[in-house]
Each structure stands twice: as structure tokens, then as C-alpha cells.
């Protein structure tokens, strides 16, 4: 389930939530009823930055429409935690900007600096393509009589560490999806003064620490990425310089 945005019905004036259910479909609710999303119904709504979450939660609780959505909105509005409720009552930071993209990464900042940041995971590599690229670089280096140094063990990295790479790459992508959801949640709540008290920002930091840790310098994803970058650099170098070669040229594989 995912909260997409807040809204207000232009004619009736009620405030509500547009959300994606577990079934993948999009719905609209004001806490009293739930409607399927449609072009006609969406035209009657206007987007809102903030709504009375307490009222919507109270209605959802009374009519027992959607318990999962209720829990998400309670976390969003801090309605169950007095400390969180006090935090959300503080003024917003000045000049807040939110860059939240599955392709470009996440960056939340204010006039005082960066609040939260995470780079998007690199695209998944292809083992067959890497081994073919390795063979092309090796063949070219031999044909040009270059000095080949196998100190980087690129082929061994690709063949022996591939399963570890796939497992860690999947975990990082799953964590980044959670970071995206958490970033959207932070955007809806807003970042307030004294945000170190923000319970949801603490959750972000915990996720981000794990995300960064498994992408550390010597992790399988980093080593595989280094192997792929090295091969691409050598292939580009050979293509750009047809005369590159000889014993003075050392190719590190």
C-alpha cells in the first residue's frame, strides 16, 4: 500500500487521501467511504499539501474501512505519539526541496543543508556481457602485444562472486524501494524545526545506514562495479587509440 497524495473535493469541501491498495489499484477516501479512482472523479478534486489527518483517521477508525491505511496515516500525522505530534506542530524548515527519483536518487534539503540523501543503485549487470567484454579486452591487448597484468583478478571476480553480487544487489534495490517510500512519507509530513526528533527521519536513517553499509567499498556490488568500469575503460581506450599497445602499455585485468 502507498499513499499517493492528499486532496480536497472542490464542491463538497471534504478532504481525503488518494492511495494505492495492496491490489495495485488506486482509490480515494475521506474516511467515510472509499471510491475507485477515475478521470471524472479526479477532475472534481484539487491537490492539497496538508489535510486534517486527525479527522480522516478518526473516520477510518470509526467505520473500520482500512486498518493498514489508518496505521500509515497515523504514522504520517503523529496522531498516536505525543512526542511526534509535538514535533509536527513546529514550523517547517525554510526553502525545503525534495528530489525523489528511482533513477536519479533521493535528496531532501533546506536552506540549512542536506537533510536526507541516497544515491540510486546502479543498474543490474549482465554476467554474460561482462565475460564477453573481458574476452574482447584480453584479445585486443594480446593482439597489440601489451603487457597484461592479472593482478585485479577481474575474471575471477565475475565468475566466483556473481551469486554474492546478485544477492547484495537485490537487497540494495529492495532497501532503496523502502527509502523511496520513506522519502515520500517525509515529504508529506514536511521537515520541521528540530528534525532530529522526527521518528520517521530516524527510520529513514536506519534504512539508509543499512543501504550504505552493504554498498561499502569492499562489498560484492562495489567489486563487481569496479570490474565492469575497468573493462569499459580499457575497451574505450583501445577504441579511441588504435596505436595503443606494446610492452610499455600495461593492461590490468
Amino acid at each position: 500500500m502507498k499513499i499517493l497524495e492528499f486532496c480536497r473535493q472542490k464542491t463538497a469541501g471534504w478532504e481525503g487521501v488518494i492511495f494505492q491498495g495492496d491490489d495495485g489499484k488506486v482509490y480515494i477516501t475521506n474516511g467515510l467511504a472509499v471510491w475507485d479512482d477515475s478521470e471524472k472523479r479526479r477532475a472534481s478534486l484539487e491537490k492539497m499539501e496538508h489535510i486534517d489527518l486527525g479527522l480522516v483517521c478518526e473516520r477510518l477508525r470509526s467505520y473500520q474501512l482500512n486498518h493498514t491505511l489508518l496505521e500509515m496515516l497515523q504514522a504520517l500525522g503523529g496522531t498516536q505519539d505525543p512526542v511526534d505530534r509535538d514535533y509536527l506542530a513546529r514550523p517547517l524548515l525554510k526553502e525545503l526541496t525534495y528530489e525523489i527519483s528511482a533513477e536519479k536518487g533521493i535528496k531532501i534539503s533546506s536552506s540549512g543543508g542536506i537533510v536526507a540523501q541516497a544515491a540510486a543503485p546502479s543498474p543490474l549487470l549482465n554476467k554474460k556481457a561482462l565475460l564477453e567484454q573481458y574476452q574482447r579486452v584480453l584479445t585486443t591487448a594480446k593482439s597489440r602485444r601489451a603487457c597484461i597484468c592479472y593482478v585485479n583478478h577481474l575474471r575471477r571476480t565475475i565468475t566466483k562472486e556473481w551469486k554474492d553480487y546478485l544477492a547484495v544487489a537485490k537487497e540494495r534495490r529492495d532497501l532503496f524501494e523502502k527509502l523511496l517510500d520513506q522519502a515520500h512519507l517525509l515529504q508529506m509530513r514536511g521537515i520541521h524545526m528540530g528534525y532530529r526528533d522526527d521518528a520517521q527521519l530516524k527510520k529513514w536513517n536506519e534504512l539508509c545506514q543499512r543501504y550504505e553499509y552493504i554498498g561499502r567499498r569492499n562489498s560484492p556490488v562495489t567489486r563487481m562495479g569496479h570490474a565492469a568500469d575497468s573493462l569499459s575503460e580499457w575497451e574505450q581506450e583501445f577504441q579511441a587509440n588504435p596505436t595503443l599497445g606494446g610492452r610499455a602499455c600495461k593492461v590490468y585485468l
Side-chain angles (χ1 to χ4, degrees), residues 107-110 112-117 195:
K107 182 179 179 182
I108 302 175
S109 59
S110 72
I114 296 173
V115 177
Q117 187 174 30
Y195 58 82

Side-chain angles (χ1 to χ4, degrees), residues 49 56 59 62 77-78 85 124 145 156 189 199 202 208 219:
E49 290 295 326
V56 176
R59 290 170 173 174
S62 298
R85 188 164 57 246
L124 195 64
R145 300 183 182 279
R156 185 174 69 186
R189 285 163 59 94
K202 289 179 181 178
C208 196
S219 74

Side-chain angles (χ1 to χ4, degrees), residues 45-59:
L45 306 174
E46 59 180 337
K47 184 177 179 180
M48 301 286 287
E49 290 295 326
H50 301 284
I51 62 172
D52 186 346
L53 284 173
L55 178 59
V56 176
C57 288
E58 183 181 338
R59 290 170 173 174

Side-chain angles (χ1 to χ4, degrees), residues 13-213:
W14 53 256
E15 295 178 337
V17 179
I18 302 174
F19 67 99
Q20 185 178 48
D22 294 332
D23 56 4
K25 295 181 180 179
V26 177
Y27 301 94
I28 302 166
T29 184
N30 61 356
L32 298 173
V34 179
W35 301 275
D36 291 337
D37 187 24
S38 68
E39 186 175 344
K40 181 179 179 181
R41 186 165 283 123
R42 189 69 72 97
S44 69
L45 306 174
E46 59 180 337
K47 184 177 179 180
M48 301 286 287
E49 290 295 326
H50 301 284
I51 62 172
D52 186 346
L53 284 173
L55 178 59
V56 176
C57 288
E58 183 181 338
R59 290 170 173 174
L60 285 170
R61 189 183 304 108
S62 298
Y63 289 87
Q64 300 181 354
L65 289 181
N66 191 311
H67 182 69
T68 302
L69 178 62
L70 173 61
E71 289 185 339
M72 293 179 70
L73 291 176
Q74 286 174 336
L76 191 60
T79 57
Q80 288 187 314
D81 186 345
V83 175
D84 202 31
R85 188 164 57 246
D86 290 343
Y87 161 74
L88 291 172
R90 300 174 194 168
L92 290 170
L93 295 182
K94 296 180 179 179
E95 300 176 18
L96 276 166
T97 59
Y98 299 87
E99 301 171 26
I100 305 172
S101 168
E103 294 77 27
K104 297 180 180 180
I106 302 166
K107 182 179 179 182
I108 302 175
S109 59
S110 72
S111 58
I114 296 173
V115 177
Q117 187 174 30
S122 301
L124 195 64
L125 297 169
N126 182 285
K127 182 180 181 181
K128 181 181 178 183
L130 281 180
L131 290 174
E132 290 174 349
Q133 189 177 36
Y134 178 92
Q135 192 59 46
R136 288 196 302 271
V137 171
L138 180 61
T139 300
T140 303
K142 287 181 176 180
S143 68
R144 297 190 184 185
R145 300 183 182 279
C147 178
I148 302 172
C149 305
Y150 296 96
V151 293
N152 287 337
H153 308 293
L154 298 187
R155 183 179 177 84
R156 185 174 69 186
T157 297
I158 297 169
T159 55
K160 300 295 185 181
E161 298 186 26
W162 190 255
K163 287 185 178 180
D164 291 338
Y165 160 72
L166 288 180
V168 175
K170 181 181 183 306
E171 184 179 0
R172 288 200 89 223
R173 298 188 77 82
D174 290 345
L175 280 170
F176 190 72
E177 286 295 323
K178 293 180 180 179
L179 285 172
L180 285 171
D181 290 342
Q182 195 66 15
H184 284 296
L185 181 64
L186 292 173
Q187 183 177 19
M188 289 184 177
R189 285 163 59 94
I191 306 298
H192 300 255
M193 299 293 291
Y195 58 82
R196 286 178 178 80
D197 293 342
D198 188 344
Q200 296 304 321
L201 189 58
K202 289 179 181 178
K203 183 177 179 180
W204 157 278
N205 288 331
E206 290 172 0
L207 288 168
C208 196
Q209 285 174 8
R210 176 60 183 168
Y211 177 73
E212 296 294 343
Y213 176 76

